[in-house]
Amino acid sequence: MLNNITMGQYYPVDSPVHRLDPRVKLILTIAFIVAVFLVHTIWGYLLIAGFVYAVSRLARLPLKMLIRGLRPLRMILLLTFLLNLFFTAGDTVLLSFWVIRITREALRQAVFYSLRLVFLVLGTSILTLTTSPVALSDALEILLSPLKKIHFPAHELAMMMTIALRFIPTLLDETDKIMKAQMARGADFESGNLISRAKSMIPLLVPLFVSAFRRAGDLAMAMESRCYHGGEGRTRFRVLKLTRQDALACGCMALLIGLIVLEGILLR
Amino acid sequence: MSIEVRHLTHTYGEGSALSTVALNDISFTIQEGEFVGIVGHTGSGKSTLVQHLNGLLKPTSGQVLVDGEDLNGEKVNRRVLRQRIGLVFQYPEYQLFEETVAKDIAFGPKNQGLSTAKIDARVHHAMESVHLDYQKYAEKSPFELSGGQMRRVAIAGVLAMAPKVLILDEPTAGLDPRGRDRILSMLEELRDREHTTILMVSHSMEDMARLATRLLVIAEGKLVADDTPRAVFARPDLLTRIGLDVPEAAKLCAALRGKGYDLPPDLYRMEEVRNALLALWKGADPC
């Protein structure tokens, strides 16, 4: 019933991209976003598209899965495209009827802005598809830890993220179970007006909250009984180490950015 | 009311990389008045199977027929049907939500659209069936009861819909011996007094030995045995292979047979073994 909600959407296969250090992946993704913003020609987008394709092949991600990540964005994409198409000023008129005037510049901008959005989403999806949420919050903790000097709670934040992510599937399962149990008692979650529907959620929400609190209590107890006392002096079971592959990945990204800058200067 | 399952197959996450076949071509028919035990190792597909029996899950292929009618047919009102086939989930105490025990038990009959008087009568009757004193417990909050009591309230919540068929998914899991015994004797009474058809999922061979008139053994989504408990327990090799066990009495019997005692091979209840032993004792010459 709730299976269509894929949270974290991690796609668990083994590939060179999956094996990269999550810190490196996070930084490279930011670099990729910058690269996408540097692009101003169609050749640049071809370069980016080639890069995304190559990485997704290397990561053994089905293309279908990547494309599916764009689906929630389709309205925004459409809107971006149309707004830019109709409301960008330009000189070379391609088409005009009634109050609508489409110029060459507008078309160009509409296409480019939409492409930019598409690649931003694709790039970040590759990160979340190839990096487990736990690894990602680990990376975030390490990258944010310099901020601890100004009392930014990097460890606590990452721990909260990890716990929240860990419990999303559990709570989804629980919701599914309680929903079924109440449906077996004749509950109706689907029909009726807004008020009766909201009311029909009570038999679902009360047990869900009760169990969430129970789990939170249990977890706190389990953590404390294993001497958890915050991040200070904590060592790691899995220490992240940079490898030659990480350096290679950084090199590839540097090459991509270099090419884009070069192409921007030469072909503009 | 009979339930017929025809070539039922269920695949979770069909078409995705993580798809698993939970049930594989299962067929059986349950007649009115039977007490059917469904046994299998954790993850064998038992819970998936019972959720098909009242239409909470849809088969990937195959059919579930209730009184000859396809449960997933277009005209069937599954909400009404679910009230005739009561399903008690694993750890049902986690579904309680009302302020008082009586209100919670009334949730099912209320959804059936019964009159207040009728609902009241149902609640009384259901509480009596699970041995909860109405005077004492009706106005209590379900959250201040003990685990075993909460479970009985939850079961009463399903019984209050007066189902023709009662399906229970591991009703005794996590209970202490007394709580377990209470639930089992309650089911025994339901079977004997109200002739409710009962399906019970359990790991516990002891529970099955006590109650079931028929056993369905499931392993890795397949039905590997469908027979009387006597016939199933006479095949300890099969049960051990799929990670299950035989009742203590059957084990004792096998051990004694190994020592040369002439006992029948298919005993599985303690009283039977005792009687057989006594008969043997009397027949033999007590040196």
Side-chain angles (χ1 to χ4, degrees), chain B residues 183-201:
Chain B
I183 300 245
L184 292 180
S185 51
M186 180 200 96
L187 291 177
E188 226 160 11
E189 281 169 30
L190 266 179
R191 178 191 64 186
D192 297 340
R193 268 211 314 242
E194 320 215 348
H195 309 290
T196 313
T197 310
I198 299 178
L199 269 87
M200 181 168 88
V201 173

Side-chain angles (χ1 to χ4, degrees), chain B residues 116-167:
Chain B
T116 323
K118 254 197 163 152
I119 292 176
D120 251 16
R122 287 274 186 89
V123 172
H124 268 93
H125 187 70
M127 285 186 72
E128 199 184 307
S129 300
V130 298
H131 303 288
L132 281 173
D133 184 24
Y134 187 87
Q135 297 302 330
K136 200 168 160 198
Y137 291 108
E139 294 307 315
K140 276 200 173 176
S141 161
F143 296 104
E144 56 189 58
L145 303 179
S146 75
Q149 287 168 333
M150 275 168 95
R151 180 149 324 166
R152 279 185 282 149
V153 171
I155 295 177
V158 173
L159 286 180
M161 296 192 299
K164 291 259 178 273
V165 179
L166 182 65
I167 306 172

Side-chain angles (χ1 to χ4, degrees), chain B:
Chain B
M1 201 160 164
S2 71
I3 301 182
E4 187 181 352
V5 173
R6 276 192 199 158
H7 304 291
L8 177 62
T9 297
H10 190 88
T11 313
Y12 281 113
E14 208 191 11
S16 83
L18 309 166
S19 75
T20 43
V21 179
L23 294 175
N24 192 350
D25 194 18
I26 287 189
S27 301
F28 59 84
T29 307
I30 289 164
Q31 300 298 344
E32 205 166 307
E34 280 192 287
F35 195 122
V36 181
I38 301 177
V39 293
H41 201 253
T42 313
S44 59
K46 297 167 297 189
S47 298
T48 308
L49 174 63
V50 294
Q51 286 178 38
H52 279 91
L53 300 182
N54 74 344
L56 283 172
L57 285 178
K58 272 193 184 156
T60 309
S61 70
Q63 288 176 306
V64 179
L65 306 175
V66 175
D67 282 340
E69 205 175 353
D70 190 346
L71 191 61
N72 293 293
E74 282 188 9
K75 286 189 197 127
V76 179
N77 185 341
R78 274 181 285 281
R79 268 186 72 202
V80 172
L81 217 132
R82 274 179 204 142
Q83 292 157 1
R84 286 163 61 204
I85 304 178
L87 175 57
V88 179
F89 273 81
Q90 250 173 64
Y91 298 99
E93 55 272 28
Y94 296 148
Q95 75 191 30
L96 302 176
F97 67 99
E98 275 286 12
E99 296 150 53
T100 70
V101 168
K103 271 192 194 166
D104 204 289
I105 297 175
F107 181 66
K110 223 188 233 164
N111 286 328
Q112 286 175 301
L114 299 179
S115 67
T116 323
K118 254 197 163 152
I119 292 176
D120 251 16
R122 287 274 186 89
V123 172
H124 268 93
H125 187 70
M127 285 186 72
E128 199 184 307
S129 300
V130 298
H131 303 288
L132 281 173
D133 184 24
Y134 187 87
Q135 297 302 330
K136 200 168 160 198
Y137 291 108
E139 294 307 315
K140 276 200 173 176
S141 161
F143 296 104
E144 56 189 58
L145 303 179
S146 75
Q149 287 168 333
M150 275 168 95
R151 180 149 324 166
R152 279 185 282 149
V153 171
I155 295 177
V158 173
L159 286 180
M161 296 192 299
K164 291 259 178 273
V165 179
L166 182 65
I167 306 172
L168 303 107
D169 195 349
E170 302 209 21
T172 58
L175 290 185
D176 55 24
R178 193 209 259 166
R180 204 183 104 187
D181 190 59
R182 281 221 164 109
I183 300 245
L184 292 180
S185 51
M186 180 200 96
L187 291 177
E188 226 160 11
E189 281 169 30
L190 266 179
R191 178 191 64 186
D192 297 340
R193 268 211 314 242
E194 320 215 348
H195 309 290
T196 313
T197 310
I198 299 178
L199 269 87
M200 181 168 88
V201 173
S202 180
H203 289 296
S204 163
M205 296 301 139
E206 305 301 321
D207 296 1
M208 290 306 181
R210 178 165 160 191
L211 293 171
T213 56
R214 178 174 162 196
L215 279 185
L216 302 179
V217 185
I218 295 180
E220 286 167 10
K222 287 193 182 129
L223 189 62
V224 294
D226 174 3
D227 218 325
T228 60
R230 194 172 299 284
V232 172
F233 290 141
R235 297 167 65 190
D237 49 318
L238 169 85
L239 291 174
T240 329
R241 184 160 49 81
I242 59 174
L244 294 172
D245 212 349
V246 292
E248 292 298 327
K251 266 193 216 163
L252 173 69
C253 204
L256 286 172
R257 278 167 59 80
K259 293 266 180 219
Y261 288 87
D262 183 27
L263 289 165
D266 57 356
L267 301 181
Y268 67 95
R269 287 196 171 124
M270 264 317 166
E271 318 90 73
E272 289 176 349
V273 179
R274 189 194 61 196
N275 292 340
L277 276 175
L278 284 175
L280 207 63
W281 210 299
K282 276 175 197 155
D285 183 27
C287 48

Side-chain angles (χ1 to χ4, degrees), chain A residues 14 22 58 64 93 99 116 146 150 203 209 235:
Chain A
D14 184 41
L58 196 62
K64 214 169 63 187
V93 179
V99 291
R116 189 175 285 175
I150 55 165
F209 270 91
T235 55

Side-chain angles (χ1 to χ4, degrees), chain A residues 136-156:
Chain A
L136 210 56
S137 61
D138 262 6
L140 210 61
E141 179 183 350
I142 296 168
L143 290 176
L144 288 177
S145 57
L147 294 178
K148 274 182 191 160
K149 291 235 164 61
I150 55 165
H151 297 293
F152 180 80
H155 169 78
E156 285 74 8

